Amino acid sequence: SPSLGRRRREAAAEEEVEETPQEKKLRLAKLYLEQLRQHGESRPAPGAGAPAGRLRALSPAVMRSHILLSLQVQPPDPASIRMLRGHQLPVTCLVISPDDRFIFSASKDGSLIKCKWEVESGKRLCVVPGGKKGTEERHMGHASHVLCMAISSDGKYLATGDRNKLIMIWDAATCKRLHIFTGHRDAVSGLSFRKGTYQLYSASHDRCVKVWNVAENAYVETLFGHQDVITGLDSLSRECCVTAGGRDGTVRLWKIPEESQLVFYGHQGSIDCIQLINEEHMVSGADDGSLALWGLTKKKPLALARQAHGMQDAQGLQQPYWISAVAALRNSDLLATGSHSASVKLWKCGEGFRKLEPLWDIPLVGFVNSLKFSAAGDFLVAGLGQEHRLGRWWRVKEAKNSICIIPLKRRAAAPSPEAPDSP
């Protein structure tokens, strides 16, 4: 009867109110693990026939099951960190292929611009030499510092951006250059492919965001709004991107179809790096030493860690270590931050993304200019340099210009799916 249906809906609503968001995530994760146990399913190893971009197709239940990953990861052993050497000058940016088999890196080096590395062996598979400014049409590589790069979710295209306003598109498998995009009026500082597409977003020191169609080598549109140089950019599946606005003190969410933007405030210094955690949350770092955790529906940070890497004595003045890189393991609660404080820090997003909790420090000497988690979450890659990727404010002479692969081992004993909820 209608009255019986109404009472059932009211009872269900009451149950839903009594369950906190964190309890709901834990319940759904346990439900999914139980389903996996019953059906005997398992995730294929990277490169073992799993389709490219497989994470894109995961259901919401699987996404929620990743939320509590920080509970499973062990503190990394410093002796297990592998260092890949090859760049003569500071590494400025890097990406990992979607199947976790390769790393692409770039640096300030004028003669060794872009490298392709094999993760398992550590071998350097491909080197693209650079050249002098103005000779980009006659040789393969960039002729100035490469500041950013991005790889498409199927691993087909690689995009790189430099100080000389150029975006180069490459075949990731062969390292052959396919196209050059021009249009920005200053250094290209951020690149991101929209997940599952060949739509490319680019950010620049000219304060605008541009949209490109890589498959058709076409320019689409330009977005304006920032009042200072844009220092970072990221995107996921939705037709939108997020940017860090440097000294204008804002993080912005750009809604491409609506031609609108949301503006977020929270940092006191220059916002230098940003990454989306999932479709609803993001993390950013600034040169005031703060790390901010955001929800896309709130204009202020959900959580803010001040002096996240501590304080330094710079020429007799106490000031926070700059946050020079942030990384998020997609759809999990695990974050990483880098500075020049001689360590990379791992963080947990606690209490339904309303708290930042430090986990461990991983000793690494030098400026951490780029950080990326592997898609499977079994290793973290850091791009190190003696200098910051955007300038030469300090120099860490003892640092090695290199790429560090940090294994992230899981705990042997996982909690049983049938275990009751903790009170």
Side-chain angles (χ1 to χ4, degrees), residues 138-212:
R138 298 198 298 273
H139 65 85
M140 286 284 288
H142 289 270
S144 60
H145 298 173
V146 180
L147 297 181
C148 53
M149 59 171 51
I151 192 165
S152 60
S153 52
D154 63 356
K156 181 178 181 180
Y157 294 116
L158 182 76
T160 53
D162 69 14
R163 277 200 179 277
N164 199 27
K165 317 169 193 174
L166 299 179
I167 300 168
M168 294 190 182
I169 306 299
W170 310 79
D171 182 313
T174 64
C175 291
K176 179 183 177 182
R177 194 180 73 200
L178 303 175
H179 190 68
I180 299 178
F181 285 127
T182 60
H184 279 295
R185 292 173 285 113
D186 206 336
V188 180
S189 54
L191 289 168
S192 181
F193 279 95
R194 181 185 169 199
K195 202 169 183 180
T197 75
Y198 297 138
Q199 188 174 53
L200 177 69
Y201 305 114
S202 65
S204 168
H205 288 183
D206 65 11
R207 302 183 294 181
C208 71
V209 173
K210 290 185 183 291
V211 185
W212 314 84

Side-chain angles (χ1 to χ4, degrees), residues 225-227 243 246-253 261-269 271 282 284 290 292-295 298-304 306:
H226 276 293
Q227 303 302 307
T243 51
R247 296 216 168 273
D248 77 2
T250 69
V251 167
R252 294 181 187 238
L253 169 68
Q261 56 189 281
L262 299 178
V263 184
F264 303 81
Y265 296 92
H267 292 285
Q268 300 301 313
I271 308 170
M282 59 185 169
S284 62
S290 62
L293 180 60
W294 309 82
K298 302 283 185 183
K299 297 297 181 71
K300 298 290 183 182
L302 300 177
L304 187 69
R306 301 186 188 278

Side-chain angles (χ1 to χ4, degrees), residues 51 57 76 107 133 141 167 172 183 199 242 265 320 322 348 371 373 401 406:
S107 79
K133 186 174 180 179
I167 300 168
Q199 188 174 53
V242 294
Y265 296 92
W322 298 4
K348 172 188 175 182
L371 281 171
F373 282 100
N401 298 317
I406 305 162

